Amino acid sequence: MAEILKGRPVIDKLNDHLKNRADELRAKGSAPALAIIRVGDSEDDMAYERSAAKCCEAAGVEVKRRHFPASVGQDELIGYIRELNRDAAVHGVLLLRPLPPHIDDRAVCRALAPEKDVDGITEYSMAGLYSCKKIGFAPCTAEACIDMLDHYGIEIAGKRAVVVGRSFVVGKPVAMMLLERDATVTVCHTKTKNLPSICREADILVVAVGHAKMLGREYFSPGQVIVDIGINFDETGAMCGDVDCDEASKTARAVTPVPGGIGRVTTAVLAKHVVEACGRMMNKTTKL
């Protein structure tokens, strides 16, 4: 049976480090702080806001929340983001999306200063990821995959990695991060021909397609490490991933569970980015 790569040990170890680092920064006069912006009253947004706030507070990061009604104007929202850009006491901004249809998502994202873009939503952050420069931050879910592999001692360099999914939030950034770590990476998607045979060739299989239990027995081969990023609900209403975990566990070396896997680590990475942003800002101020 496969080893189950649970998220809780990753979070606990990361939080211990972040608490110490946050205390160091606080002692030097700068307390890491995250601003969370929520527009409307989506249950999913409210649940993620609570989860992010809880995880950040556990890591020693202060949280400031601002809620706007769904009817908020684009100019008002952008104006508030620009206020946060100028606020030296705020080191990271989490903008919960999607935004209401009357708001131009790209225009709002462009308004955010890349140094405070702790969830990798700006074009500058993506440019930094693709150029391997520290401009902004990688999307938290993509980085959570790498942190999970590192925590469990999964070697990346020289391995064949297959990423199923091509979104800007997970698929493309995690592929770039694996490539930067010297993996040989193939990016696939739901239209890829012979997808099961390609997946079977992977040493590391990362799946983010958004279809419940889409990958079954024919996609797996012995010795694989499978990272399941999907969050779905099956026909019984139970939460599940994009991978049929029961089938994967019979063949793979290791697999991340849903729930209890990558999703939990994502919010811890958010806290890590805020602490890093605070450190970067302090270093920049000190040099000046």
Side-chain angles (χ1 to χ4, degrees), residues 65-125:
R65 308 191 202 190
R66 178 70 183 270
H67 171 237
F68 290 95
S71 59
V72 66
Q74 180 171 305
D75 290 344
E76 182 180 355
L77 183 58
I78 288 177
Y80 179 64
I81 289 173
R82 287 176 175 158
E83 285 181 27
L84 293 176
N85 290 343
R86 296 189 293 269
D87 188 346
V90 172
H91 307 97
V93 176
L94 174 63
L95 174 65
L96 299 178
R97 300 152 71 215
L99 297 170
H102 69 279
I103 295 177
D104 184 340
D105 182 270
R106 293 184 66 184
V108 173
C109 289
R110 285 196 188 110
L112 178 60
E115 61 269 21
K116 298 191 179 187
D117 176 21
V118 289
D119 197 23
I121 65 171
T122 67
E123 294 169 355
Y124 291 103
S125 290

Side-chain angles (χ1 to χ4, degrees), residues 34-278:
L34 170 71
I36 301 177
I37 304 172
R38 174 167 56 87
V39 178
D41 297 304
S42 161
E43 290 291 339
D44 288 344
D45 283 352
M46 288 190 284
Y48 189 68
E49 179 182 349
R50 290 191 296 270
S51 175
K54 182 178 179 181
C55 196
C56 283
E57 288 162 358
V61 173
E62 297 179 8
V63 177
K64 304 176 182 182
R65 308 191 202 190
R66 178 70 183 270
H67 171 237
F68 290 95
S71 59
V72 66
Q74 180 171 305
D75 290 344
E76 182 180 355
L77 183 58
I78 288 177
Y80 179 64
I81 289 173
R82 287 176 175 158
E83 285 181 27
L84 293 176
N85 290 343
R86 296 189 293 269
D87 188 346
V90 172
H91 307 97
V93 176
L94 174 63
L95 174 65
L96 299 178
R97 300 152 71 215
L99 297 170
H102 69 279
I103 295 177
D104 184 340
D105 182 270
R106 293 184 66 184
V108 173
C109 289
R110 285 196 188 110
L112 178 60
E115 61 269 21
K116 298 191 179 187
D117 176 21
V118 289
D119 197 23
I121 65 171
T122 67
E123 294 169 355
Y124 291 103
S125 290
M126 294 306 292
L129 178 64
Y130 281 75
S131 64
C132 302
K133 296 178 180 178
K134 288 189 176 182
I135 304 171
F137 295 87
C140 293
T141 303
E143 189 164 328
C145 297
I146 305 299
D147 283 359
M148 179 77 85
L149 294 172
D150 285 344
H151 177 85
Y152 285 100
I154 309 297
E155 187 177 358
I156 298 174
K159 300 299 182 180
R160 173 76 183 272
V162 172
V163 178
V164 186
R166 51 182 169 176
S167 73
F168 281 103
V169 177
V170 182
K172 291 177 180 177
V174 78
M176 291 304 302
M177 296 177 83
L178 287 165
L179 189 62
E180 175 63 15
R181 293 286 295 273
D182 297 322
T184 299
V185 183
T186 300
V187 179
C188 302
H189 44 81
T190 55
K191 299 292 192 299
T192 299
K193 293 182 179 179
N194 303 317
L195 183 58
S197 65
I198 295 173
C199 290
R200 288 196 300 269
E201 296 174 359
D203 299 308
I204 300 171
L205 178 60
V206 180
V207 188
V209 290
H211 295 286
K213 299 182 180 179
M214 176 181 147
L215 273 67
R217 179 172 48 189
E218 69 274 20
Y219 289 81
F220 313 131
S221 61
Q224 287 182 317
V225 174
I226 301 173
V227 180
D228 188 355
I229 302 169
I231 298 179
N232 312 287
F233 294 91
D234 64 18
E235 61 277 1
T236 69
M239 184 180 290
C240 65
D242 295 340
V243 170
D244 186 328
C245 194
D246 291 338
E247 291 295 335
S249 296
K250 296 175 184 177
T251 305
R253 166 189 164 192
V255 60
T256 62
V258 178
I262 293 296
R264 301 183 74 173
V265 180
T266 295
T267 49
V269 172
L270 176 69
K272 178 176 73 170
H273 286 175
V274 179
V275 173
E276 288 179 4
C278 180

